[in-house]
């Protein structure tokens, strides 16, 4: 089964920042957000471990 895509509304300042980073790095905004979240998760191993444990217990 395909997972439903999520959508979010960000403050305009953040959107401008994201678009500018995307332009400068020539990366898609989605890729930048994925990379940033992965980096955030790696810096918080205890939280990452808890989230992974919960996700593994879900059907």
């Amino acid at each position: 089964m395909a997972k439903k895509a999520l959508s979010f509304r960000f403050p305009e300042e953040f959107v401008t920042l994201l678009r500018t980073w995307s332009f400068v790095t020539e990366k898609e905004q989605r890729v930048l957000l994925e990379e940033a979240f992965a980096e955030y998760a790696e810096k918080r191993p205890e939280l990452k471990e808890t989230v992974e444990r919960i996700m593994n217990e879900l059907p």
Side-chain angles (χ1 to χ4, degrees), residues 3-57:
K3 295 191 178 203
K4 183 179 177 184
L6 297 175
S7 65
F8 297 92
R9 291 189 181 265
F10 293 111
E12 192 60 38
E13 304 154 340
F14 178 77
V15 172
T16 301
L17 180 64
L18 180 59
R19 286 179 178 153
T20 305
W21 272 79
S22 179
F23 175 77
V24 170
T25 62
E26 298 181 351
K27 291 184 180 182
E28 292 181 25
Q29 294 172 28
R30 176 190 54 80
V31 171
L32 289 172
L33 289 172
E34 288 175 358
E35 289 176 350
F37 189 80
E39 185 176 323
Y40 175 87
E42 289 302 318
K43 289 182 177 181
R44 289 155 180 82
E46 69 288 340
L47 184 56
K48 180 181 178 184
E49 181 180 310
T50 301
V51 169
E52 288 174 345
R53 183 173 34 81
I54 291 170
M55 288 177 58
N56 289 332
E57 292 177 5

